[in-house]
């Protein structure tokens, strides 16, 4: 019977060690016993960007990057996109199981009845410059929410945690829509509790003078599916930020503001905005080869392509491509889709992309749909943030309940000067 251990020989000392293997990993702290001399801090691992380091055990989402598989709590993303709703999937992520009918009713009721924000929030938003990026406003107002709910710092109190989870999922679309209304100079549209989560978001975004906003059912469902697709994605950059900040026992509003800030970057949730800018810059199919040449020369990246984990087609991109057709039946075709499809075709035949296993990711087609639905480009990362909110919260809660977890505090390899004495300014060169 083979042993579930790893034998290590330290060739500096000739000593041998046997390290237990559990779930395909060794514990990094087990390396500490491998030392040159008593008193030294022992061997560490060096892993910038966490390419090969598991920072937690998690039961929330599962990705097989080679096979292009994504599951939430075991359920394939394709089935959830086909049959679930965003709020039901959010419940699943947070609670581990699909809800009963009564559980779902109560969950939806609670989210629906926490959508209104304190009137003072409007004053913050009013204070932003007219051309402030909505993601900047979103990050700031999520952080500001913590000042309205001081009890949120009781992170070990289950009832308090549950209330903040209701509030964050409920208020994320309100903050997002208010940020948009401020940008375009429209009066804020208040939540309408008669509508679904996504229908209400469309209402708060796009309502003008009508007495009651009636969302288009196809667009409402398409947006709901897009939110499902974004809801969780194991230990990505923003989720790691949520866990990292949460590990210091900060309240969930502060932790989620940090997560949203991490999402804002163009390598993560900001990529959907960049894709649209690229497609517009390309402008026509005949200009694609020249654009790809510039990517290959290293001038810039092809946004919406590549992924740390997926080395195959991102399953979310496949579903999004299908939704695009349904949306275009209502909105008319976004001409950028033809450029995107051709760009994908050419890239996937090119050795640069093939050899590096760079495939379209979730951000490649999502922006084209958002644009067809009349969302301004700078709202795209905010839409991603609304979708990812339940995932961030599920991961935050899992982290708090995990006895193995401690405050996030990586090690470093110090490369600075040795000790030296302070030099008075008149003696410096
Ligand atoms: N365009 C051109 N080259 C790329 C791209 C790209 N989009 N992505 C990776 N590469 C190249 C990279 O230059 C490197 O080449 P080489 O080996 O010659 O140096 C190789 O592929 C490996 O790239 P990497 O940067 O080491 O890979 P990573 O795992 O650190 O980065 C990534 C993953 C998503 C940041 C990266 O693929 C990227 O920048 N993509 C564009 C931004 C994007 O679409 N982000 C959204 C990701 S999906 C939504 C989300 O979860 O955030």
């Amino acid at each position: 019977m083979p042993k579930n251990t790893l034998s290590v020989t330290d060739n500096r000392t000739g000593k041998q060690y046997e390290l237990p293997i559990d779930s395909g990993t060794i514990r990094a702290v087990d390396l500490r016993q491998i030392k040159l001399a008593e008193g030294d801090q022992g061997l560490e691992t060096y892993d910038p960007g966490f390419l090969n380091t598991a920072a937690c055990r998690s039961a929330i989402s599962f990705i097989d990057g080679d096979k292009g598989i994504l599951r939430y709590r075991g359920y394939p993303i394709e089935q959830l996109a086909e049959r679930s709703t965003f709020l039901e999937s959010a419940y699943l992520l947070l609670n581990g199981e699909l809800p009963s009918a009564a559980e779902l009713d109560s969950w939806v009721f609670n989210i629906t009845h926490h959508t209104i924000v304190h009137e003072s929030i409007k004053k913050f938003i009013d204070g932003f410059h007219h051309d402030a990026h909505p993601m900047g406003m979103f990050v700031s107002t999520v952080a500001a929410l913590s000042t309205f709910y001081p009890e949120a710092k009781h992170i070990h109190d289950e009832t308090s945690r549950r209330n903040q989870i209701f509030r964050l999922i409920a208020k994320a679309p309100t903050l997002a829509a208010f940020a948009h209304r401020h940008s375009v100079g429209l009066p804020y549209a208040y939540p309408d509790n008669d509508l679904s989560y996504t229908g209400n978001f469309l209402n708060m975004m796009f309502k003008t003078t009508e007495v009651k906003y009636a969302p288009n059912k196809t667009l409402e469902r398409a947006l709901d599916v897009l939110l499902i697709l974004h809801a969780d994605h194991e230990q990505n950059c923003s989720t790691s930020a949520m866990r990292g900040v949460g590990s210091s026992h900060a309240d969930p509003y502060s932790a989620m503001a940090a997560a949203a800030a991490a999402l804002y970057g163009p390598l993560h949730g900001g990529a959907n905005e960049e894709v649209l800018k690229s497609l517009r810059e390309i402008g026509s199919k005949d200009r694609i080869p020249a654009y790809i040449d510039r990517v290959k020369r290293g001038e810039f990246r092809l946004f919406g392509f590549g992924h740390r984990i997926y080395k195959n087609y991102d399953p979310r991109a496949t579903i999004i491509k299908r939704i695009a057709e349904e949306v275009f039946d209502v909105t008319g075709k976004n001409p950028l889709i033809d450029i995107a499809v051709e760009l994908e075709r050419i890239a996937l035949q090119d050795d640069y992309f093939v050899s590096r296993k760079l495939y379209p990711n979730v951000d490649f087609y999502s922006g084209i749909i958002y644009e067809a639905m009349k969302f301004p480009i700078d709202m795209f990362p905010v839409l991603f943030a609304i979708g990812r909110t339940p995932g961030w919260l599920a991961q935050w809660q899992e982290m708090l309940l995990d006895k193995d977890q401690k405050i996030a505090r990586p090690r470093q390899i110090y490369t600075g000067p040795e000790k030296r004495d302070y030099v008075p300014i008149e003696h410096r060169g």
Side-chain angles (χ1 to χ4, degrees):
M1 181 77 174
K3 285 207 282 183
N4 231 356
T5 59
L6 177 73
S7 296
V8 178
T9 306
D10 184 347
N11 294 322
R12 300 170 304 175
T13 58
K15 285 194 191 154
Q16 294 208 327
Y17 304 85
E18 193 165 328
L19 312 180
I21 297 177
D22 180 17
S23 312
T25 60
I26 56 162
R27 285 196 171 243
V29 286
D30 285 345
L31 298 173
R32 278 208 189 149
Q33 59 185 304
I34 306 179
K35 343 181 142 176
L36 277 178
E38 221 29 69
D40 87 24
Q41 65 182 21
L43 210 60
E44 290 173 1
T45 54
Y46 176 58
D47 189 11
F50 305 106
L51 263 76
N52 196 35
T53 297
C56 62
R57 293 172 183 276
S58 181
I60 302 172
S61 52
F62 168 81
I63 303 174
D64 184 325
D66 290 325
K67 297 198 183 113
I69 288 173
L70 170 61
R71 297 184 197 131
Y72 296 164
R73 302 279 189 184
Y75 294 101
I77 191 67
E78 293 80 4
Q79 291 183 25
L80 295 170
E82 183 72 30
R83 304 174 66 181
S84 184
T85 60
F86 175 63
L87 285 189
E88 186 187 61
S89 295
Y91 182 101
L92 170 70
L93 288 169
L94 278 146
N95 298 288
E97 296 297 335
L98 287 167
S100 66
E103 285 165 339
L104 184 60
D105 280 352
S106 151
W107 169 248
V108 172
F109 180 89
N110 276 309
I111 303 287
T112 309
H113 288 80
H114 280 90
T115 46
I116 290 182
V117 292
H118 193 286
E119 284 292 289
S120 295
I121 294 275
K122 285 188 346 199
K123 294 187 197 151
F124 300 146
I125 300 181
D126 284 341
F128 283 105
H129 207 250
H130 68 92
D131 58 357
H133 195 290
M135 193 65 171
M137 292 191 257
F138 182 80
V139 168
S140 315
T141 45
V142 168
L145 281 183
S146 87
T147 64
F148 292 88
Y149 304 109
E151 77 278 13
K153 63 167 80 76
H154 301 306
I155 52 162
H156 297 299
D157 177 322
E158 196 182 338
T159 309
S160 168
R161 260 201 326 263
R162 204 195 52 213
N163 288 338
Q164 315 321 321
I165 287 171
F166 289 148
R167 287 181 176 133
L168 273 161
I169 296 176
K171 294 183 202 307
T174 315
L175 298 179
F178 280 20
H180 164 69
R181 308 283 290 200
H182 175 70
S183 314
V184 292
L186 278 170
Y188 303 115
Y190 280 75
D192 179 344
N193 286 359
D194 294 341
L195 299 175
S196 73
Y197 184 84
T198 322
N200 173 48
F201 177 50
L202 291 169
N203 157 63
M204 291 188 291
M205 281 290 299
F206 299 121
K207 183 171 192 279
T208 50
T209 54
E210 61 272 51
V211 176
K212 192 155 179 83
Y213 180 85
N216 176 287
K217 289 289 161 207
T218 305
L219 302 187
E220 184 181 356
R221 174 63 191 157
L223 189 56
D224 209 61
V225 175
L226 283 162
L227 295 181
I228 294 174
L229 299 182
H230 287 87
D232 196 52
H233 214 230
E234 49 142 90
Q235 306 310 312
N236 55 84
C237 177
S238 57
T239 299
S240 301
M242 181 89 196
R243 280 179 172 262
V245 174
S247 77
S248 76
H249 293 177
D251 68 80
Y253 301 99
S254 305
M256 188 170 126
L263 187 75
Y264 193 178
L267 297 188
H268 192 8
N272 50 18
E273 202 179 348
E274 299 302 321
V275 171
L276 247 275
K277 289 183 195 157
S278 308
L279 293 174
R280 284 186 182 169
E281 187 189 331
I282 294 170
S284 60
K285 285 200 235 173
D286 55 307
R287 289 163 51 116
I288 294 172
Y291 192 86
I292 291 208
D293 281 346
R294 293 178 66 195
V295 171
K296 285 160 62 179
R297 282 202 299 273
E299 282 184 39
F300 42 74
R301 292 198 162 197
L302 184 58
F303 284 95
F305 258 72
H307 199 273
R308 171 65 60 77
I309 308 292
Y310 292 120
K311 300 302 167 198
N312 197 331
Y313 217 94
D314 182 335
R316 302 169 298 176
T318 315
I319 299 168
I320 290 180
K321 242 173 133 175
R322 202 198 63 231
I323 301 171
E325 300 305 325
E326 292 164 19
V327 168
F328 295 159
D329 284 345
V330 177
T331 61
K333 186 167 157 187
N334 184 340
L336 293 180
I337 188 83
D338 291 334
I339 300 178
V341 168
E342 182 65 1
L343 183 57
E344 176 192 326
R345 191 188 66 77
I346 294 179
L348 293 186
Q349 287 177 356
D350 190 304
D351 187 54
Y352 177 93
F353 296 90
V354 175
S355 61
R356 290 172 179 77
K357 299 189 175 168
L358 302 173
Y359 289 86
N361 60 46
V362 69
D363 291 318
F364 192 64
Y365 287 105
S366 60
I368 300 174
I369 303 183
Y370 296 147
E371 194 188 48
M373 293 173 79
K374 304 273 180 278
F375 285 100
I377 292 190
D378 54 12
M379 279 297 287
F380 296 178
V382 185
L383 291 164
F384 195 151
I386 297 172
R388 185 55 57 88
T389 297
W392 285 331
L393 292 166
Q395 300 269 354
W396 167 73
Q397 182 160 262
E398 184 178 65
M399 183 263 310
L400 289 175
L401 299 176
D402 179 350
K403 299 255 180 308
D404 268 3
Q405 288 299 320
K406 292 180 175 297
I407 186 167
R409 207 311 184 175
R411 307 296 299 227
Q412 64 167 12
I413 302 172
Y414 178 68
T415 59
E418 292 297 313
K419 176 182 178 279
R420 49 188 175 161
D421 290 326
Y422 181 80
V423 181
I425 196 159
E426 60 276 17
H427 294 153
R428 292 177 212 158

